[in-house]
Amino acid sequence: MINQNIDRSQQNLIQDFKQVNHTIITNQLEPRNIIDISLKIQDYLQPNIIKKLNVISAYCKMMIQKKNYKNLKMQAIKRRKAFEELIYTEQSYLADMKIVIEQVIQIVQETKLLPEIEIQQAFSNIIQIYNLNKSFLRELQKKLEIYYDNTCVSHIFQKYIPFFKIYFQYLQEFKIDQIQILRDKYQNFDNFLNRLEDAYTFKGGDLNSFLIKPVQRLPRYSLLLTSIVKFTWTEHPDYNDLQKTLNSFSQVTQQIDLLIGNILRNQALFELQQKFFNLINVQIVESTRKFILTESLTMINQQKEETVNLYLCSDLIVLTKISEENQKFMKEGLITYSFLDLQTQYESQINPSLNFTLIAGDQNMLFICQDQEQKQKLLQEFDAIFANLKNNASQQNSIFQTQKTTIYNPIKVEIVSITRGQELLKSYAQYNIIIRNSNQSYATQTRHKVLLKLQKKLQAEFQQESQLESTSFLFQNWIKNRLNKESNDGRKVIVQEFLEILLNSHQVKTRPEYFLRKLKLPQDFYQKRQQFLEEQKFSSINQ
């Protein structure tokens, strides 16, 4: 519309000048008179020009003000939503804390499933935290009932920030493996939690997933408060106080960042244990081991490039892989892991190369980073790890200094092809497989009905484990429910994943006869593997 007004104004001016020009030409005026006429024309047209410019200027200002109003209105809506999100997440947080208090702590105390001192150590001051946050929520809800665009909320935070320091005690006493230790120690307590988990009391998680919520809550407050400040305009009566509140809250959270960081890193270590190491009966959760970082990069494995997830701890490296088909219905698969010691080192090619090789024992792991920043970051972390290992070794005996790096070499399964077979009048799919066990390879075949029998035997043979580890691919009914619904590529992935986890499982290794027979593998399959690993270890020590 504004463009149309400007165009009309320009057309009118042009028409006026055309008329004047025509008058000058037709009357054949002398040059000395042209100046006088042009001045008269300017005097004649100036009021109209100024008037039209004023109209255009006023219209522009109106449009700018209208746009600013719309932006301000949208910002006010976002500010209210940010405040509502704070209240909603607080309600959800308190509901979870109420479950812990009423359905766990109170019942455990009444039935004396745990000694009082164990209860105090496991749950710390969570009841105090719940009462504090309950009061905090009540004031937030009252403010929402009378909320309008200029409502101030900073004073509520200012009132409660000093009291949030009671979280310090919880953070100092919280241990990521505390509940698991109690479950192992007290069978009745473990049975009680199993019943709660079966009843979906913890919403698909476990008690530990609820107890870590207070650890995660304070950083969440900082993010929510930052969001409210972001959508508060500078002319708002609460803007300056909100900025001060955010600074005050930052000072509190800075004091606990180290505690939270250590807890969350230990949580990552605990999740690695649950996802990969429980199945092979290896314990990686220790008080001296700290999780550092995780990165996705490329690894050269058997002369092939594959994308891997690298999990780095203070003395441990874990490599996992997710294939494209895996992402739809399966979790990460463990490729290898290695405990690091003084003999571990890396070799790095100079820039601009993105490659580096980690040498751990007899294994060389060649990586290709995404960029120079990632490469520099990883090498700096390895330097820090090696320096820390060296420092620890100097404070311990010489036996530690001659210790060799431990490497995990999982049994690998490759589905070479799927062919069709005939039995009586029915055809069936046959999976042609190569199983690599350390330095030996075995070619074998299996069928859908054999895999079903293996699955059924697993659940019958290891009934207790299947209930405790129901999320493990080993104990799920993928063979029965999903195998025949997938394409050939999908079937290959399912069968490979199932057999690799089965053959590497410590449960199967304790009673392997049935499984080895069904897979047409020799009964000394695991003995040969152990013999090879011992020979490898002996050779490494002699070096």
Side-chain angles (χ1 to χ4, degrees):
M1 184 176 179
I2 187 170
N3 292 333
Q4 293 175 352
N5 291 338
I6 293 172
D7 290 341
R8 283 198 294 269
S9 299
Q10 290 176 339
Q11 290 173 2
N12 292 336
L13 289 173
I14 292 170
Q15 189 64 32
D16 291 340
F17 279 117
K18 282 183 177 180
Q19 290 177 358
V20 173
N21 188 46
H22 177 72
T23 302
I24 293 173
I25 294 172
T26 52
N27 293 330
Q28 296 182 349
L29 296 175
E30 295 181 4
R32 65 177 179 271
N33 296 325
I34 292 175
I35 297 174
D36 295 334
I37 292 173
S38 65
L39 292 173
K40 291 179 180 179
I41 292 171
Q42 187 177 0
D43 292 339
Y44 171 75
L45 294 178
Q46 191 173 20
N48 288 333
I49 294 172
I50 293 173
K51 182 178 179 181
K52 291 175 181 178
L53 288 175
N54 286 338
V55 170
I56 294 171
S57 176
Y59 183 80
C60 290
K61 289 179 180 179
M62 181 192 71
M63 293 301 294
I64 292 171
Q65 290 295 331
K66 187 176 181 180
K67 185 177 180 180
N68 289 340
Y69 173 76
K70 286 183 177 179
N71 290 338
L72 194 63
K73 187 176 180 180
M74 183 59 66
Q75 203 166 350
I77 292 172
K78 290 180 179 178
R79 184 178 189 267
R80 182 187 178 101
K81 287 183 177 179
F83 185 63
E84 288 174 345
E85 184 183 2
L86 168 65
I87 294 175
Y88 172 77
T89 57
E90 188 71 10
Q91 289 172 330
S92 177
Y93 170 60
L94 281 171
D96 291 341
M97 292 302 96
K98 188 175 181 181
I99 289 173
V100 173
I101 294 168
E102 294 184 354
Q103 299 194 42
V104 180
I105 298 177
Q106 290 179 2
I107 295 176
V108 168
Q109 287 176 329
E110 291 169 3
T111 57
K112 297 183 179 179
L113 291 175
L114 294 175
E116 194 62 37
I117 188 170
E118 299 277 30
I119 296 174
Q120 177 57 40
Q121 290 176 353
F123 301 103
S124 188
N125 63 336
I126 195 170
I127 296 177
Q128 288 178 279
I129 290 174
Y130 173 78
N131 291 332
L132 171 68
N133 283 78
K134 190 176 179 181
S135 176
F136 179 55
L137 174 62
R138 194 179 300 117
E139 294 207 29
L140 292 175
Q141 289 172 326
K142 286 181 180 179
K143 185 60 67 173
L144 183 62
E145 291 172 0
I146 57 171
Y147 187 93
Y148 56 94
D149 290 346
N150 284 336
T151 294
C152 297
V153 297
S154 59
H155 62 283
I156 301 177
F157 279 96
Q158 289 286 9
K159 176 181 177 180
Y160 282 90
I161 282 175
F163 296 103
F164 282 143
K165 292 181 180 179
I166 69 169
Y167 276 80
F168 286 16
Q169 179 184 340
Y170 189 87
L171 296 172
Q172 289 171 336
E173 295 179 355
F174 178 81
K175 295 178 181 177
I176 197 68
D177 56 348
Q178 180 67 36
I179 298 301
Q180 188 59 50
I181 292 172
L182 293 176
R183 295 182 77 153
D184 294 339
K185 188 175 179 180
Y186 300 97
Q187 185 62 48
N188 290 337
F189 179 65
D190 182 51
N191 295 337
F192 168 68
L193 292 184
N194 284 332
R195 289 194 295 272
L196 292 181
E197 289 164 5
D198 292 340
Y200 208 68
T201 303
F202 303 117
K203 305 174 184 178
D206 56 14
L207 176 58
N208 213 60
S209 66
F210 272 50
L211 292 179
I212 200 172
K213 290 180 184 290
V215 177
Q216 300 165 331
R217 190 59 188 163
L218 284 182
R220 186 72 188 275
Y221 282 140
S222 184
L223 292 174
L224 291 167
L225 186 55
T226 301
S227 182
I228 294 173
V229 174
K230 176 183 176 182
F231 297 120
T232 302
W233 49 99
T234 54
E235 295 81 10
H236 194 286
D238 202 26
Y239 181 79
N240 291 331
D241 287 337
L242 276 174
Q243 291 284 6
K244 294 177 183 177
T245 303
L246 185 59
N247 291 335
S248 300
F249 198 83
S250 297
Q251 291 174 7
V252 173
T253 55
Q254 282 174 7
Q255 299 175 44
I256 61 172
D257 276 347
L258 181 60
L259 289 170
I260 290 178
N262 288 336
I263 291 171
L264 295 180
R265 281 192 287 274
N266 288 338
Q267 170 71 4
L269 192 64
F270 187 78
E271 289 173 356
L272 284 177
Q273 177 72 50
Q274 296 287 95
K275 288 171 68 175
F276 306 117
F277 291 92
N278 279 351
L279 197 64
I280 59 176
N281 200 28
V282 174
Q283 182 67 31
I284 65 167
V285 177
E286 295 182 5
S287 59
T288 57
R289 182 170 295 123
K290 305 298 180 185
F291 181 84
I292 298 174
L293 57 78
T294 178
E295 292 284 336
S296 177
L297 69 167
T298 301
M299 180 182 181
I300 307 297
N301 190 13
Q302 297 178 352
Q303 299 182 341
K304 293 181 181 179
E305 291 187 6
E306 58 182 12
T307 301
V308 300
N309 291 332
L310 183 152
Y311 298 91
L312 186 62
C313 304
S314 54
D315 63 345
L316 172 69
I317 180 173
V318 180
L319 298 174
T320 67
K321 178 187 176 183
I322 303 178
S323 65
E324 285 186 25
E325 295 87 356
N326 249 357
Q327 289 178 336
K328 294 189 297 183
F329 48 79
M330 278 186 281
K331 299 179 181 180
E332 295 173 77
L334 180 64
I335 299 176
T336 186
Y337 71 90
S338 176
F339 293 103
L340 310 179
D341 67 5
L342 294 177
Q343 281 70 45
T344 309
Q345 57 182 306
Y346 67 79
E347 294 178 355
S348 173
Q349 300 179 20
I350 60 173
N351 296 343
S353 172
L354 299 176
N355 300 2
F356 75 92
T357 303
L358 183 67
I359 303 170
D362 296 329
Q363 186 175 6
N364 293 352
M365 293 174 271
L366 175 58
F367 298 105
I368 305 175
C369 297
Q370 297 177 10
D371 49 42
Q372 287 294 339
E373 183 179 355
Q374 186 186 50
K375 179 181 178 180
Q376 183 178 3
K377 178 182 179 181
L378 286 171
L379 296 186
Q380 287 176 348
E381 292 294 349
F382 279 118
D383 286 337
I385 289 172
F386 299 156
N388 188 54
L389 289 172
K390 186 176 181 180
N391 180 57
N392 290 341
S394 65
Q395 299 175 15
Q396 298 176 16
N397 56 40
S398 58
I399 296 176
F400 178 88
Q401 299 180 39
T402 59
Q403 196 175 17
K404 292 292 179 180
T405 302
T406 303
I407 301 171
Y408 171 67
N409 293 303
I411 297 166
K412 304 298 291 183
V413 175
E414 179 185 354
I415 310 301
V416 179
S417 62
I418 302 176
T419 56
R420 306 301 299 183
Q422 194 79 22
E423 185 178 65
L424 298 177
L425 299 177
K426 293 183 179 180
S427 63
Y428 59 85
Q430 177 173 283
Y431 301 92
N432 302 306
I433 305 168
I434 292 179
I435 298 174
R436 294 185 176 87
N437 183 14
S438 300
N439 66 332
Q440 293 184 317
S441 295
Y442 302 87
T444 185
Q445 301 85 31
T446 191
R447 294 168 51 183
H448 183 223
K449 72 174 187 178
V450 174
L451 296 171
L452 282 173
K453 288 180 179 179
L454 293 175
Q455 184 88 77
K456 187 176 180 180
K457 181 69 172 178
L458 278 168
Q459 293 173 341
E461 194 83 5
F462 308 104
Q463 186 175 6
Q464 184 177 356
E465 289 87 344
S466 67
Q467 292 174 352
L468 294 176
E469 301 182 40
S470 58
T471 57
S472 169
F473 182 73
L474 185 63
F475 298 113
Q476 293 178 6
N477 291 320
W478 289 95
I479 304 301
K480 179 181 178 181
N481 298 335
R482 295 296 300 272
L483 187 59
N484 284 338
K485 298 178 182 179
E486 296 294 330
S487 64
N488 274 3
D489 288 340
R491 291 184 185 188
K492 286 181 180 180
V493 172
I494 290 177
V495 175
Q496 175 187 327
E497 188 84 1
F498 174 72
L499 291 179
E500 281 188 354
I501 295 178
L502 182 144
L503 291 171
N504 285 292
S505 168
H506 73 93
Q507 287 106 338
V508 170
K509 290 177 183 178
T510 60
R511 284 168 276 180
E513 295 80 10
Y514 176 87
F515 304 99
L516 294 176
R517 185 172 67 255
K518 285 295 181 182
L519 292 173
K520 302 173 185 175
L521 294 171
Q523 288 296 312
D524 61 352
F525 178 83
Y526 287 112
Q527 285 88 337
K528 287 183 178 180
R529 173 180 173 82
Q530 187 62 32
Q531 182 181 355
F532 171 78
L533 294 176
E534 288 177 359
E535 290 175 354
Q536 195 177 39
K537 182 178 180 181
F538 180 75
S539 174
S540 178
I541 292 173
N542 286 340
Q543 291 176 2

